């Protein structure tokens, strides 16, 4: 039972103890009269399961050892006698044919060494199994972020002019500089079943969350439909609501959608609603520490079994100048628009926006599910600075206590940490106070200090301060650094702030360097401007080599909501094949495409031999646009329901079963592109490892309020009073007729949001219902108020064409 628990917790090298015995030596386990060396059993339960299946001729479920987690349960399940564990010396005879374990000897199964004796339910490790982000500098994915970090780039730039008016840098130096997200106004409203009118009113933070949660689930190879209705938790750190200020300045009329569209709580709740998640759904607002406090809250919720899986996010959007002006007047912003963390020239921080989403679950479950584990959350802690010298002034004593509490929760020593991602805002006083707290905590917790053993850095010098999303952005940086085993530089650093005195154990990570450590472990700090603090401890999780790399042929499947999205998706796959398609197991990638992606309306299936043939076939399909050789293309229309019912007949199901049983890829490709859902798992004997693949390319349609802040509010009010109706502007009647005139600019929502492809170009077209409303309003205006009785009805309305 302890062997199974240890494996499930991802710690095969752990020294296992039970009340009766200690399994530290390679003692044999006797099952059905055969002896198995426990040293090798610990290396992989899947191999042990394969041996038992071969021995007893029975197929066992993938979760076998997590359901039957001791020898007694295993023996009852497979119907054989199981002897007790023999306590024997190292020279005990072992009758197992070691050729069965050749994969184990060659596979680098070297999980981080852990020394815990028993699993404390309040301190279980949490795995990060999915990641997504939208960050400054046109960063659309974690790999984009790594390219920026590794190159030592600073992506601070000008405020995007298309969002609306901003303050002059001449009057307020540096206020126009920041880290800004590309295409913040773009959103695939149709994909999420949201009308253009509602999408335009929605806080962009809600829109970012919907798209990034979908992307994060895909990164974790989770189909949203597979977890719909389950107790998935959603924890979002957010603090600002700039877009609601824009709506007010634009004079947008209050309507039913507005309350939900501008609500911060709905940033999390809309995710739970759309994806049908029933776990905790909450917004956390502790200012700059919001997202890391949200992560701590999610970890505690998982440990208490309030939810089985959690989505944790941080989001921040800048589109109104009020807060920037307030921070500038408070002297918090760098006048030169550059964040210089730990540097002698530090003179303030630079505001930034963006979003990060993580998918997390207990490590034991992640291992059982065969997830790709990006990193492990060992522990976390939160606190408040208490009565410091000011509400926004940090308290080094409480920061020290915070770090020690997080390290204790993680069960690690201070010297186990080889990197700390500091809050590091680049202020002349904040940075020295933080370093003081770090070094004080280290001095109290370190058993043995080694020179230059721990690096300090901060992402804010690259991207700016993402405020409510800053903590998770730091986590993402650390996870990527662990995966690449490289520490990126903290840019804009030339000489150390004279107020900072570094102990011999610490140094500023100001250059790109290999991350040399027996086990890479790091801390991430995030401090709120109101005094709420958070710290998280992360540990690497070495990616195991795939145990499956079958020879082709394979059936590659890809789908999207329409042909245009599919073409862009195909291009993403081609780019992925160019960069990393030959890395890892190609069969795992095929497995992940089949089981880890939602089947949509427009579908492409290709029978290919390897990744080279796949790239060639995809390029040909993009070039020629027709059904490829050894491939199938289909568009599942709304009328496909009858087709689906047809395939529910007994004879049809027999055909599908036969295709799956005989691995008939041609038949399966044809069926799938015709709209038939295939249970791809039946093609595989065992659960495979998940591959990291390109994610869905959402449509980039503009949904943004038309800024009118440059027009005096009094002028807007006068124009509104003079207008009879939004569709009926002025009365031009004379003695011979009643007539009304309207002048539309094309910027009105009912025109700007209703674009139709006419003669090859997209044009604004007045919707049919607008004509009806225009006529109704005209008749109403033509009738004297005292003669208006009952309800006006328009009947028998006909259009020449749709």
């Amino acid at each position: 039972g302890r062997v199974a628990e240890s494996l499930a917790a991802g710690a095969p090298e752990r020294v296992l103890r039970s009340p009766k015995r200690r399994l530290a030596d390679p003692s044999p386990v006797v099952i059905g009269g055969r002896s198995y060396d426990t040293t090798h059993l610990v290396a992989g339960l899947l191999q042990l399961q394969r041996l038992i299946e071969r021995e007893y001729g029975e197929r066992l479920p993938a979760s076998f050892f997590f359901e039957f987690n001791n020898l007694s349960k295993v023996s009852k399940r497979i119907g054989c006698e199981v002897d007790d564990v023999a306590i024997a010396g190292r020279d005990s005879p072992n009758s197992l044919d070691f050729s069965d374990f050749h994969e184990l000897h060659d596979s680098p199964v070297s999980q981080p060494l852990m020394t815990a004796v028993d699993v404390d339910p309040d301190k279980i490790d949490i795995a990060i199994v999915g990641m997504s982000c939208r960050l400054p500098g046109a960063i659309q994915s974690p790999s984009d972020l790594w390219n920026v970090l590794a190159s030592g780039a600073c992506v601070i730039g000008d405020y995007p002019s298309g969002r609306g008016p901003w303050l002059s840098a001449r009057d307020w130096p540096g206020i126009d500089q920041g880290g800004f997200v590309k295409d913040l106004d773009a959103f695939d409203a149709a994909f999420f079943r949201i009308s253009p009118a509602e999408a335009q009113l929605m806080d962009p933070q809600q829109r970012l969350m919907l798209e990034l949660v979908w992307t994060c689930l895909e990164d974790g190879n989770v189909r949203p439909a597979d977890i719909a209705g389950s107790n998935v938790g959603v924890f979002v750190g957010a603090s600002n609501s700039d877009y609601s200020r824009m709506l007010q300045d634009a004079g947008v009329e209050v309507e039913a959608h507005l309350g939900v569209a501008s609500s911060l709580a709905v940033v999390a709740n809309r995710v739970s609603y759309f994806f049908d998640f029933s776990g905790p759904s909450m917004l956390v607002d502790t200012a700059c520490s919001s997202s890391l406090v949200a992560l701590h809250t999610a970890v505690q919720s998982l440990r208490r079994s309030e939810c089985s899986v959690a989505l944790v996010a941080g989001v921040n959007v800048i589109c109104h100048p009020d807060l920037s002006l307030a921070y500038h007047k408070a002297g918090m912003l760098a006048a030169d628009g550059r964040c210089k963390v730990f540097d002698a020239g530090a003179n303030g921080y630079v505001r930034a926006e963006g979003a990060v989403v993580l998918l997390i679950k207990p490590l034991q479950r992640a291992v059982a599910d065969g997830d790709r584990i990006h990193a492990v959350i060992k522990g976390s802690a939160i606190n408040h600075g208490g009565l410091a010298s000011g509400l926004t002034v940090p308290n080094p004593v409480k920061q020290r206590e915070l770090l020690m509490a997080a390290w204790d929760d993680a069960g690690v020593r201070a010297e186990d940490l080889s990197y700390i991602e500091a809050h590091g805002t680049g202020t002349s006083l904040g940075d020295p106070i933080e370093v003081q707290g770090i070094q004080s905590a280290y001095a109290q917790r370190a058993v043995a200090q080694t020179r230059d053993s721990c690096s300090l850095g901060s992402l804010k010098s690259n991207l700016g301060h993402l405020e409510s999303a800053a903590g998770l952005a730091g986590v993402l940086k650390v996870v990527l650094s662990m995966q690449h085993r490289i520490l990126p530089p903290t840019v804009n650093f030339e000489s150390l702030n004279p107020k900072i005195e570094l102990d011999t154990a610490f140094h500023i990570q100001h250059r790109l360097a290999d991350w040399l450590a027996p086990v890479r472990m790091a801390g991430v700090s995030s401090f709120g401007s109101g005094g709420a603090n958070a710290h998280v401890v992360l540990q690497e999780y070495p990616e195991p080599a795939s145990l499956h790399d079958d020879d082709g042929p394979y059936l590659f499947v890809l789908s999207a909501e329409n042909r245009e999205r599919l073409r862009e998706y195909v291009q993403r796959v081609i780019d992925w094949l160019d960069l990393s398609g030959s890395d890892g197991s190609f069969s795992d990638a095929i497995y992940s495409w089949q089981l880890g992606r939602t089947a949509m309306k427009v579908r492409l299936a290709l029978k290919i031999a390897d990744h080279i043939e796949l790239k060639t076939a995809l390029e040909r399909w993009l070039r020629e646009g027709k059904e490829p050789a050894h491939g199938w293309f289909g568009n599942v229309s709304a009328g496909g329901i009858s087709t689906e019912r047809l395939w529910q007949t007994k004879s049809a199901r027999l055909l599908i079963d036969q295709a799956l049983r005989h691995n008939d890829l041609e038949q399966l490709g044809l069926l799938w592109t015709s709209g038939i859902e295939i249970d791809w798992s039946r093609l595989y004997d065992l659960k495979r490892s998940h591959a990291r693949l390109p994610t869905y390319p959402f449509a980039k349609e503009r949904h943004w309020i038309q800024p009118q802040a440059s027009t005096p509010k009094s002028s807007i009010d006068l124009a509104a009073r003079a207008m009879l109706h939004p569709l009926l502007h002025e009365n031009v009647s004379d003695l011979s007729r009643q007539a009304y005139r309207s002048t539309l600019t094309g910027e009105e929502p009912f025109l700007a949001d209703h674009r139709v492809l006419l003669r090859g170009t997209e044009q604004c077209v007045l919707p049919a219902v607008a004509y009806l409303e225009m006529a109704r309003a005209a008749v109403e205006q033509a009738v004297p108020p005292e003669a208006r009785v009952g309800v006006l009805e328009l009947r028998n309305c006909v259009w020449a064409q749709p």
Side-chain angles (χ1 to χ4, degrees):
R2 292 294 177 186
V3 172
E5 290 172 10
S6 175
L7 247 286
E13 294 182 15
R14 177 181 297 175
V15 176
L16 305 172
R17 295 183 178 91
S18 71
K20 295 182 179 180
R21 62 181 60 86
R22 169 182 172 130
L23 299 182
D25 295 328
S27 307
V29 176
V30 181
I31 301 179
R34 296 191 66 182
S35 177
Y36 296 84
D37 190 317
T38 58
T39 303
H40 299 289
L41 298 188
V42 171
L45 287 179
L46 286 179
Q47 283 79 5
L48 174 59
Q49 180 172 325
R50 191 181 303 161
L51 289 172
I52 294 177
E53 288 175 338
R54 188 187 309 163
E55 185 76 19
Y56 296 98
E58 181 181 359
R59 174 96 176 263
L60 302 176
S63 60
F64 178 77
F65 278 111
F66 301 97
E67 180 179 357
F68 304 94
N69 55 8
N70 61 46
L71 294 178
S72 176
K73 292 180 181 179
V74 169
S75 65
K76 291 178 181 178
R77 172 62 178 81
I78 63 178
C80 71
E81 292 184 354
V82 182
D83 299 331
D84 198 1
V85 178
I87 307 301
R90 293 184 180 274
D91 56 348
S92 299
N94 192 319
S95 60
L96 179 63
D97 182 358
F98 276 86
S99 63
D100 290 327
F101 286 104
H102 69 278
E103 292 179 335
L104 300 181
H105 296 306
D106 298 333
S107 177
V109 183
S110 56
Q111 309 297 349
L113 182 61
M114 302 165 68
T115 57
V117 176
D118 287 308
V119 177
D120 184 344
D122 294 328
K123 294 187 177 182
I124 62 172
D125 292 343
I126 304 298
I128 299 173
V129 297
M131 305 188 300
S132 63
C133 66
R134 288 276 300 281
L135 296 169
I139 294 172
Q140 305 287 321
S141 66
S143 58
D144 290 344
L145 174 60
W146 178 250
N147 292 335
V148 167
L149 294 173
S151 63
C154 176
V155 296
I156 302 300
D158 296 332
Y159 181 79
S161 58
R163 297 189 189 178
W166 196 255
L167 298 172
S168 168
R170 181 179 62 252
D171 299 328
W172 310 98
I175 203 168
D176 62 326
Q177 296 293 293
F180 300 107
V181 169
K182 182 181 179 182
D183 297 328
L184 182 66
D185 57 351
F187 177 56
D188 196 341
F191 186 94
F192 294 98
R193 305 189 301 274
I194 295 173
S195 71
E198 185 178 2
Q200 182 167 282
L201 292 178
M202 282 174 60
D203 189 329
Q205 295 177 122
Q206 295 184 24
R207 308 190 316 220
L208 279 172
M209 282 299 97
L210 288 173
E211 292 189 347
L212 285 179
V213 165
W214 185 282
T215 302
C216 182
L217 292 174
E218 285 197 336
D219 181 72
N221 287 287
V222 177
R223 291 182 296 192
D226 291 342
I227 56 174
S230 62
N231 65 333
V232 177
V234 179
F235 304 82
V236 179
S239 189
N240 301 328
S241 188
D242 277 11
Y243 197 66
S244 62
R245 292 186 176 92
M246 282 192 66
L247 295 176
Q248 292 173 357
D249 286 355
V252 173
E253 184 180 354
V254 176
E255 57 178 270
H257 287 312
L258 196 59
V260 171
S262 60
S263 168
L264 275 179
V266 174
V267 176
N269 298 161
R270 191 183 285 274
V271 170
S272 299
Y273 167 76
F274 176 81
F275 290 94
D276 190 18
F277 297 151
S278 59
S281 182
M282 65 181 71
L283 181 119
V284 176
D285 182 3
T286 57
C288 309
S289 60
S290 297
S291 63
L292 211 61
V293 173
L295 179 60
H296 169 83
T297 306
V299 167
Q300 299 305 313
S301 185
L302 287 170
R303 288 175 171 177
R304 291 192 298 266
S305 299
E306 293 175 345
C307 56
S308 56
V309 180
L311 286 153
V312 189
V315 61
N316 189 49
V317 163
I318 302 172
C319 56
H320 194 278
D322 278 0
L323 283 178
S324 292
L325 181 59
Y327 296 156
H328 193 287
K329 288 183 175 181
M332 299 164 65
L333 301 185
D336 57 356
R338 289 296 178 269
C339 186
K340 298 171 282 294
V341 183
F342 308 130
D343 191 75
N347 60 345
Y349 81 86
V350 180
R351 297 193 71 199
E353 64 185 6
V356 177
V357 179
L358 302 179
L359 177 64
I360 64 175
K361 62 168 68 172
L363 179 59
Q364 176 176 340
R365 179 175 175 185
V367 174
D369 291 344
D371 291 320
R372 177 191 176 105
I373 299 172
H374 296 291
V376 176
I377 301 169
K378 297 290 297 176
S380 62
I382 57 175
N383 74 359
H384 190 274
L387 184 60
S389 56
L391 175 64
T392 62
V393 178
N395 184 334
V397 175
K398 296 303 178 182
Q399 290 183 8
R400 178 193 68 205
E401 293 175 358
L402 170 78
L403 269 60
M404 292 191 298
W407 299 346
D408 290 345
D409 183 64
V412 302
R413 301 171 303 177
E415 58 265 36
D416 294 333
L417 302 169
S418 48
Y419 178 75
I420 292 179
E421 174 69 12
H423 183 61
T425 55
T427 56
S428 59
L429 184 60
D431 290 353
I433 290 176
E434 181 177 6
V435 172
Q436 178 186 339
I438 292 172
Q439 295 187 145
S440 177
Y442 190 88
Q444 289 198 30
R445 280 291 187 269
V447 177
Q449 297 190 24
T450 307
R451 185 177 183 83
D452 288 339
S453 60
C454 189
S455 306
L456 301 177
S458 174
L459 181 71
K460 295 176 182 62
S461 60
N462 302 93
L463 307 184
H465 185 2
L466 275 83
E467 298 170 351
S468 51
L472 280 194
V475 169
L476 184 57
K477 170 188 172 180
V478 169
V479 172
L480 293 171
S481 300
M482 286 177 172
Q483 291 178 342
H484 290 85
R485 301 181 180 182
I486 291 174
L487 288 171
T490 297
V491 300
N492 302 330
F493 179 84
E494 294 181 1
S495 60
L496 187 65
N497 186 327
K499 298 185 179 71
I500 298 176
E501 296 182 6
L502 287 178
D503 293 340
T504 57
F506 292 92
H507 63 276
I508 306 301
Q509 191 63 46
H510 64 279
R511 60 183 179 84
L512 189 73
D514 292 333
W515 191 344
L516 302 175
V519 177
R520 291 164 190 84
M521 189 178 294
V524 180
S525 291
S526 191
F527 307 142
S529 56
N533 308 316
H535 187 79
V536 172
V537 178
L538 301 170
Q539 182 175 290
E540 69 174 336
Y541 191 91
E543 183 177 352
S546 174
L547 301 176
H548 309 282
D549 200 7
D550 307 328
D551 295 330
Y554 308 101
L555 185 65
F556 165 82
V557 295
L558 196 70
S559 68
E561 281 296 287
N562 54 55
R563 192 182 183 104
E564 181 184 356
R565 296 293 91 221
L566 182 62
R567 288 182 62 85
E568 186 170 338
Y569 210 169
V570 166
Q571 186 59 59
R572 285 193 178 189
V573 175
I574 292 172
D575 295 341
W576 176 82
L577 290 167
D578 284 336
L579 291 174
S580 58
S582 60
D583 298 342
S585 167
F586 188 63
S587 62
D588 285 348
I590 294 294
Y591 173 85
S592 299
W593 265 308
Q594 292 172 351
L595 277 82
R597 295 294 185 268
T598 298
M600 301 183 193
K601 297 175 183 176
V602 182
R603 304 181 179 188
L604 176 67
L606 298 168
K607 182 182 178 183
I608 40 90
D610 52 32
H611 68 279
I612 298 174
E613 189 172 327
L614 174 60
K615 181 175 181 290
T616 302
L618 291 175
E619 289 174 336
R620 185 184 300 117
W621 184 80
L622 273 186
R623 188 171 56 250
E624 299 175 358
K626 60 183 181 180
E627 190 168 278
H630 305 295
W632 303 267
F633 175 79
N635 190 339
V636 182
S637 63
I641 297 175
S642 58
T643 305
E644 180 65 28
R645 288 176 178 171
L646 174 64
W647 284 99
Q648 296 301 322
T649 62
K650 184 176 181 179
S651 58
R653 297 310 307 176
L654 287 174
L655 179 61
I656 297 172
D657 290 343
Q658 184 179 14
L660 286 167
R661 191 164 53 252
H662 296 291
N663 200 33
D664 187 343
L665 301 185
E666 291 86 353
Q667 186 70 33
L668 291 172
L670 178 61
L671 290 171
W672 185 77
T673 53
S674 300
I676 308 305
E677 299 309 313
I678 305 296
D679 181 7
W680 299 108
S681 63
R682 292 177 57 188
L683 293 176
Y684 303 92
D685 295 331
L686 295 172
K687 185 174 289 188
R688 302 296 185 101
S689 299
H690 291 303
R692 189 165 191 182
L693 304 173
T695 55
Y696 187 78
F698 293 105
K700 296 185 179 299
E701 299 172 354
R702 179 176 169 85
H703 298 282
W704 199 259
I705 194 69
Q706 182 65 23
Q708 298 178 12
S710 57
T711 305
K713 198 172 190 321
S714 57
S715 301
I716 297 174
D717 293 341
L718 287 173
R721 284 199 295 270
M723 187 183 296
L724 300 174
H725 183 277
L727 287 165
L728 207 68
H729 295 174
E730 56 180 326
N731 189 338
V732 292
S733 303
D734 55 29
L735 292 176
S736 64
R737 64 173 186 171
Q738 287 180 311
Y740 301 86
R741 177 184 294 128
S742 299
T743 303
L744 305 178
T745 66
E747 300 296 338
E748 295 82 1
F750 49 81
L751 267 175
D753 294 340
H754 192 254
R755 307 179 72 86
V756 178
L757 195 64
L758 296 175
R759 290 180 290 279
T761 60
E762 199 176 61
Q763 300 181 25
C764 296
V765 175
L766 194 65
V769 68
Y771 288 103
L772 289 178
E773 175 61 12
M774 186 181 288
R776 188 208 61 77
V779 174
E780 183 180 67
Q781 290 290 330
V783 177
E786 62 274 10
R788 297 174 189 170
V789 179
V791 177
L792 173 65
E793 296 183 7
L794 302 177
R795 300 177 181 174
N796 302 325
C797 301
V798 178
W799 283 265
Q801 63 181 25

